[in-house]
Amino acid sequence: MTRIEELARRLDDAALNACAIAQMDPENRLSIEEAYAIQAASIARRIERGETRVGVKMGFTSRAKMLQMGLSDVIWGRLTSRMQLEEGGTIDFASFVRPRVEPELAFLLKRPLRGNVTAAEALAAVEAVAPALEIIDSRYQDFKFTLPEVIADNASSSGFVIGPWNAPSTDVVNLGLALTIDGRLVQAGSTAALLGHPLRSLVAAARLSAAAGEPLQAGWIVMAGGATPAEWILAGQHVSVEMQHLGSASFHVR
Ligand code: 0L1
Ligand code: MG
């Protein structure tokens, strides 16, 4: 087993068993390329277990967060079938290390999208848009990680819930949204937080996935990124996002 495969195995086991692991690279020696190779190898293990690839998640899509992390680009992760949770369904708190939730916008693609595309080309590939929730769950102890470590850890992605699909003609540039937990407003924001325009996130997804040799496919979902800071979630809670014009998505935590 190569070092990349060994690190991928550690992360895969941590996600599978909801058991945190120590940082693998506290001195920040892993390159970004190695980090994505570890991510790819850990997702390959899931595919070997029968999961299918269903799309891409974008991370650090708010300019403020990017600057805070000293980044000049977004990061991305891979979505698999097992990560998609039923809308309005129940998730098991014990199946996560220490989960958080963020409100997102999701795109469904009707045709492949690869490389350097314009916003108009990206929009022309969109079948539908939906309000969504991403469950993020860093597999590292005490939620401490470097940038390569979080990339290797599939950009902390753990699950996602998609609300109703809407026509792609819906203007998504500045939709108000409210994240509530047990009916209490915990975050309010706008889809404009996503790189100033959510389509920029889809354009970045097309560029980064193609560069990795895995161009976006028809039928794939692209989670465009968190529109507000993430919130911790606990067993017993009901989590919901309501997005202007698009509807809502929710789940319970058992
Ligand atoms: O924006 C994202 O979805 C990436 C989150 C990765 C960092 C974290 O675990 O908060
Ligand atoms: Mg996210």
Side-chain angles (χ1 to χ4, degrees), residues 114-162:
R114 68 158 63 218
N116 291 316
V117 298
T118 63
E121 286 165 341
L123 181 59
V126 174
E127 168 83 20
V129 291
L133 292 163
E134 183 187 25
I135 301 166
I136 50 178
D137 189 30
S138 174
R139 267 58 64 153
Y140 299 108
Q141 269 157 20
D142 304 324
F143 182 53
K144 282 197 191 121
F145 47 76
T146 63
L147 177 64
E149 285 172 332
V150 67
I151 289 171
D153 188 20
N154 205 21
S156 295
S157 201
S158 187
F160 62 98
V161 173
I162 305 279

Side-chain angles (χ1 to χ4, degrees), residues 91 93 99-101 135 181 231-235 237 239 251 253:
I91 65 165
F93 184 77
R100 288 159 292 146
V101 67
I135 301 166
I181 297 187
E231 288 285 328
W232 298 104
I233 51 178
L234 295 170
Q237 290 181 327
V239 180
F251 62 84
V253 191

Side-chain angles (χ1 to χ4, degrees), residues 1-7:
M1 199 178 257
T2 65
R3 180 161 169 266
I4 296 285
E5 285 166 348
E6 164 54 20
L7 295 176

Side-chain angles (χ1 to χ4, degrees), residues 52-154:
T52 53
R53 182 72 186 280
V54 299
V56 160
K57 72 141 290 174
M58 303 302 289
F60 296 151
T61 45
S62 108
R63 291 270 179 222
K65 184 98 178 243
M66 230 190 267
L67 288 174
Q68 190 182 45
M69 296 290 293
L71 300 180
S72 55
D73 205 356
V74 293
I75 64 171
W76 65 285
R78 293 162 167 92
L79 301 178
T80 68
S81 47
R82 190 164 179 255
M83 294 166 71
Q84 182 158 11
L85 309 163
E86 189 195 350
E87 201 289 306
T90 299
I91 65 165
D92 195 353
F93 184 77
S95 62
F96 301 91
V97 175
R98 201 173 165 213
R100 288 159 292 146
V101 67
E102 36 187 48
E104 303 218 0
L105 180 74
F107 292 104
L108 176 65
L109 299 183
K110 63 182 172 196
R111 64 174 79 129
L113 195 59
R114 68 158 63 218
N116 291 316
V117 298
T118 63
E121 286 165 341
L123 181 59
V126 174
E127 168 83 20
V129 291
L133 292 163
E134 183 187 25
I135 301 166
I136 50 178
D137 189 30
S138 174
R139 267 58 64 153
Y140 299 108
Q141 269 157 20
D142 304 324
F143 182 53
K144 282 197 191 121
F145 47 76
T146 63
L147 177 64
E149 285 172 332
V150 67
I151 289 171
D153 188 20
N154 205 21

